[in-house]
Amino acid sequence: MTQLAVDDLTFEVRESTRRKTLEITVDRGGELIISAPSGTDEQHLRDFVMEKRLWIYRKLAEKAESRRPLPQKQYVNGEGFLYLGRSYRLKRVPDDAQDIPLKLVAGRFQLREDAVPNAREHFIHWYSARATDWLTARVKAQARRMGVEPAGVKVQDLGYRWGSCGKGSRVYFHWKTILLPRPIAEYVVVHELVHLHEPHHTPAFWRRLERAMPDYEQRKGWLARHGIEVEGI
């Protein structure tokens, strides 16, 4: 069974032999996921959904509000672009002013005029490179402190997810993580590293996360409320 429909709610069912409990997740895009131990009876899943339905509707309403349309970047002089939580103004410069299309100089993003038609791609490339360096360093430092050994760090477009812990103990991060304030990006790092101990969001996962980052709830709450603000690039 890969999908479960309960009244007007449709869930993607993800079964795992490693899971011991049921969990419902409302993804950043509003998709509903129910994680369950392998072989869980369909009626048990339905009963669990009915028990949690008020919580589900509340989360869906919050997601709908957060997905309100964002203004698209115009790449004009003075426009602000985030980097580790700070906004840096854009300055368009002549084609011969610098050797690369985009750079951050003296607190301003400088974009060559000939690069404007592909400005978004240049920003993604710039952010991805900085994210790889910054996140790799933070993963290394936190992993040493937490007693885990990730196999590597990969930065890419993860859709609606900030991070993911993949097979083989490799950790993945969305390139947009580098737009978040440092304490929030650090939370994303620690969250994924905890998954090396606890693959699922069980009570044991949250207890371990609290030990690693006692104020994680505040950071998690900030990300839920404001994460959408970094979407418009």
Side-chain angles (χ1 to χ4, degrees):
M1 177 173 49
T2 58
Q3 281 200 332
L4 175 72
V6 181
D7 294 338
D8 59 337
L9 302 172
T10 301
F11 298 81
E12 177 189 346
V13 179
R14 296 179 181 175
E15 295 186 326
S16 170
T17 56
R18 301 172 66 184
R19 173 167 283 281
K20 304 299 183 185
T21 60
L22 294 175
E23 180 187 29
I24 291 173
T25 304
V26 183
D27 207 345
R28 288 175 62 202
E31 293 83 5
L32 299 174
I33 301 163
I34 184 165
S35 301
S38 295
T40 300
D41 181 71
E42 181 177 337
Q43 188 58 49
H44 186 37
L45 297 178
R46 291 181 177 277
D47 291 343
F48 186 69
V49 169
M50 295 301 292
E51 177 186 339
K52 300 290 186 181
R53 64 185 306 168
L54 292 179
W55 177 87
I56 296 168
Y57 285 128
R58 186 171 69 250
K59 286 295 182 182
L60 286 172
E62 292 173 0
K63 296 296 181 182
E65 171 63 21
S66 70
R67 296 302 298 176
R68 63 190 182 279
L70 292 169
Q72 293 297 307
K73 295 292 188 183
Q74 301 299 313
Y75 306 101
V76 296
N77 284 320
E79 193 168 23
F81 290 81
L82 291 171
Y83 174 48
L84 285 172
R86 289 185 57 191
S87 182
Y88 295 86
R89 299 297 178 185
L90 179 66
K91 179 181 179 182
R92 286 165 51 163
V93 299
D95 296 355
D96 59 356
Q98 58 194 39
D99 56 344
I100 56 177
L102 177 69
K103 61 171 63 175
L104 183 60
V105 181
R108 276 184 176 265
F109 277 111
Q110 293 188 173
L111 178 68
R112 279 195 332 226
E113 286 288 348
D114 65 333
V116 172
N118 301 110
R120 186 174 189 275
E121 287 73 18
H122 291 303
F123 266 94
I124 291 174
H125 177 78
W126 191 92
Y127 282 132
S128 297
R130 298 310 178 280
T132 299
D133 292 343
W134 192 88
L135 290 166
T136 298
R138 297 318 304 151
V139 165
K140 183 178 180 180
Q142 290 289 356
R144 185 166 55 245
R145 182 177 70 87
M146 295 167 62
V148 294
E149 296 184 4
V153 175
K154 179 77 171 177
V155 172
Q156 61 189 58
D157 190 329
L158 293 178
Y160 292 126
R161 292 176 298 167
W162 291 107
S164 176
C165 184
K167 293 181 179 179
S169 298
R170 183 180 293 271
V171 286
Y172 297 82
F173 299 98
H174 199 303
W175 59 263
K176 289 184 180 179
T177 304
I178 200 66
L179 279 66
L180 298 169
R182 291 173 186 267
I184 310 305
E186 194 91 26
Y187 161 73
V188 176
V189 168
V190 173
H191 183 114
E192 296 309 325
L193 290 178
V194 172
H195 276 309
L196 295 177
H197 284 297
E198 304 287 345
H200 307 295
H201 292 132
T202 60
F205 170 88
W206 297 110
R207 287 194 297 270
R208 188 179 289 272
L209 178 55
E210 186 173 26
R211 290 196 297 271
M213 181 172 278
D215 66 343
Y216 86 88
E217 286 191 354
Q218 290 91 329
R219 304 190 198 208
K220 179 174 179 282
W222 189 100
L223 187 60
R225 293 189 303 272
H226 302 290
I228 186 67
E229 296 169 8
V230 309
E231 295 288 335
I233 297 297

